[in-house]
Amino acid sequence: MNERIRAHEIRLLGDDGKAYGIVTLAQARIMADSEGLDLIEISPNAVPPVVKMMDYGKYKYQIQKKLAEAKKKQVVIEIKEIKFRPNIEKHDMEVKLNHIEKFLEHGDKVKLLMQFRGREMAHKEIGLAKFDEIVKQILEKGAVIEAPSKMMGNRVIAMVAPGKKK
């Protein structure tokens, strides 16, 4: 911008998009001062560099608005985690399934985790059957499995994501 531009010759553009052609930096500064504008280097790697006459405050404001607009369009997906135990009661499981359904409707991914403790490890097949039933119930509500259930030490983990919206 202005005094920080080091090139001797530049390709000058006006605020309205008018091309002034290749001019010296001194001529460009005189033209910008007469119109009360700043010189802003748009393309420094071009030969000669492209410089535009414009109001620097307005330029920064436009960039800030573009960034805010891009940020507004971003979708943030969170990963929620729901823990189960092999001996979970029916009502507790229904409550957790309702929570999972709300998370999926909101667009979040859900990590399902069943933890085995102590003697529960001796009868893993009971817990695994219950975990598969839980995953099946979630899939019936329109979810998609992102990572199938797998045993990691004393826990089983699966990842579900919301299904396609109609």
Side-chain angles (χ1 to χ4, degrees):
M1 177 184 137
N2 292 336
E3 286 77 33
R4 293 189 190 136
I5 300 173
R6 294 285 171 228
H8 296 290
E9 283 191 338
I10 57 171
R11 183 175 305 275
L12 186 63
L13 300 174
D15 193 24
D16 54 354
K18 180 183 173 198
Y20 290 99
I22 298 174
V23 296
T24 63
L25 186 59
Q27 289 174 325
R29 284 188 180 141
I30 292 169
M31 292 168 75
D33 287 339
S34 68
E35 294 185 32
L37 299 172
D38 298 307
L39 293 175
I40 299 170
E41 200 168 30
I42 303 297
S43 180
N45 296 332
V47 179
V50 178
V51 175
K52 191 169 185 179
M53 280 193 305
M54 60 173 34
D55 183 22
Y56 184 65
K58 183 178 177 183
Y59 175 70
K60 278 179 61 177
Y61 177 73
Q62 287 173 343
I63 290 174
Q64 188 179 8
K65 278 193 82 163
K66 283 181 187 175
L67 290 174
E69 190 67 32
K71 193 174 185 180
K72 195 184 297 183
K73 292 179 182 176
Q74 278 183 344
V75 177
V76 178
I77 298 174
E78 289 187 37
I79 297 177
K80 305 287 187 174
E81 186 176 289
I82 300 287
K83 292 183 180 180
F84 296 95
R85 295 291 307 280
N87 55 356
I88 188 169
E89 293 297 323
K90 187 177 184 212
H91 181 264
D92 294 333
M93 189 162 67
E94 288 172 5
V95 169
K96 289 191 181 214
L97 287 172
N98 288 338
H99 284 282
I100 292 169
E101 192 174 351
K102 286 180 189 172
F103 293 149
L104 292 172
E105 284 175 7
H106 195 264
D108 297 328
K109 294 180 182 180
V110 181
K111 181 179 179 180
L112 306 170
L113 187 135
M114 181 172 279
Q115 185 148 6
F116 297 94
R117 290 191 189 146
R119 292 185 184 147
E120 294 170 349
M121 287 294 286
H123 302 285
K124 284 189 274 190
E125 64 280 349
I126 297 170
L128 289 172
K130 193 169 267 191
F131 191 74
D132 290 339
E133 184 185 324
I134 292 168
V135 171
K136 194 162 123 185
Q137 288 180 12
I138 294 168
L139 293 177
E140 287 173 2
K141 295 182 180 179
V144 178
I145 288 188
E146 204 167 74
S149 58
K150 59 184 172 192
M151 191 79 183
M152 298 177 88
N154 66 340
R155 45 179 76 175
V156 182
I157 299 172
M159 190 78 122
V160 293
K164 299 285 181 203
K165 293 187 177 179
K166 297 173 185 172

